[in-house]
Amino acid sequence: MSSRESLIESTRALLWERGYVGTSPKAIQQRAGAGQGSMYHHFSGKEELALAAIQRSAELLRQAAEEQLSTEATAYARIEAFLRRERDVLRGCPIGRLTQDPDVMATPALRAPVEETFAWLRGRLTAVLREGLERGEFPGTLDPATTALTIVAVMQGAYVLARADDSPQRFDEAVTGILGLLAAHSRTE
């Protein structure tokens, strides 16, 4: 891994663990095994490096989601696969956790990839639900956009509940609940 990649990956991990304020340039350099000169050779400062790390986290989240959401299965099955995919629940969502970081949310450049990622996810889920409607998998009364928003909200809340109780079971229970509601509207499940 190049020193640039190591810096980005180290920053991703530290942002996920500690947030923006808790992620010092020194901590990044130590975790990356890179010197200050290397860091400032590749990035103008902590904000630019944090932006690259947030963008990478967003890209990885989109790739992981797309694996389940782009199959030929029913809309319900694709959403279920997305919600039940393997994840480190007790660490929380690497993008969702950033919404609780006042410094990230107050910095437009850092906030932008967070907003864009959630907008993308809502849009992608909306498209899957709309496909399900068009295939007759759901009744015409199902609103794809608000249902997609609800799925994202439940998923993010499930991370919070799991962390609060120190139990991945809370995440699983919330996912089971939202899938039960969706299945109640499904004509194929």
Side-chain angles (χ1 to χ4, degrees):
M1 184 181 302
S2 72
S3 61
R4 183 179 194 284
E5 286 302 306
S6 183
L7 287 163
I8 291 171
E9 289 304 313
S10 296
T11 304
R12 281 186 63 239
L14 288 166
L15 286 172
W16 200 359
E17 294 166 13
R18 304 178 182 181
Y20 187 75
V21 170
T23 300
S24 69
K26 183 176 182 171
I28 295 168
Q29 293 161 20
Q30 285 176 337
R31 184 168 281 198
Q36 184 176 3
S38 179
M39 181 173 157
Y40 291 103
H41 170 75
H42 295 291
F43 303 96
S44 63
K46 177 181 168 181
E47 185 177 318
E48 184 181 5
L49 178 51
L51 177 60
I54 293 168
Q55 289 170 331
R56 174 73 52 79
S57 290
E59 175 187 329
L60 292 172
L61 185 146
R62 286 190 300 270
Q63 287 174 357
E66 200 57 46
E67 284 181 30
Q68 288 84 35
L69 297 176
S70 64
T71 68
E72 293 299 318
T74 66
Y76 177 90
R78 289 186 280 165
I79 291 169
E80 179 180 32
F82 165 69
L83 290 173
R84 294 204 186 275
R85 77 175 169 79
E86 185 76 25
R87 58 185 90 219
D88 191 351
V89 172
L90 294 181
R91 285 186 74 195
C93 174
I95 297 297
R97 286 193 62 183
L98 294 172
T99 65
Q100 301 302 309
D101 191 315
D103 293 296
V104 170
M105 292 295 97
T107 307
L110 299 179
R111 181 184 183 124
V114 173
E115 290 175 339
E116 290 164 5
T117 300
F118 281 119
W120 175 86
L121 183 55
R122 288 190 315 270
R124 189 66 183 95
L125 288 167
T126 298
V128 170
L129 290 162
R130 191 168 288 125
E131 288 174 32
L133 274 172
E134 291 168 1
R135 290 191 222 169
E137 297 172 24
F138 300 111
T141 56
L142 184 94
D143 182 320
T146 58
T147 303
L149 178 65
T150 302
I151 291 168
V152 173
V154 168
M155 183 178 72
Q156 290 302 311
Y159 278 118
V160 171
L161 294 173
R163 287 175 55 84
D165 286 350
D166 195 29
S167 172
Q169 184 178 344
R170 296 295 169 256
F171 185 91
D172 296 338
E173 290 168 347
V175 165
T176 297
I178 192 65
L179 288 172
L181 293 172
L182 190 57
H185 291 286
S186 176
R187 293 178 174 156
T188 60
E189 294 303 314

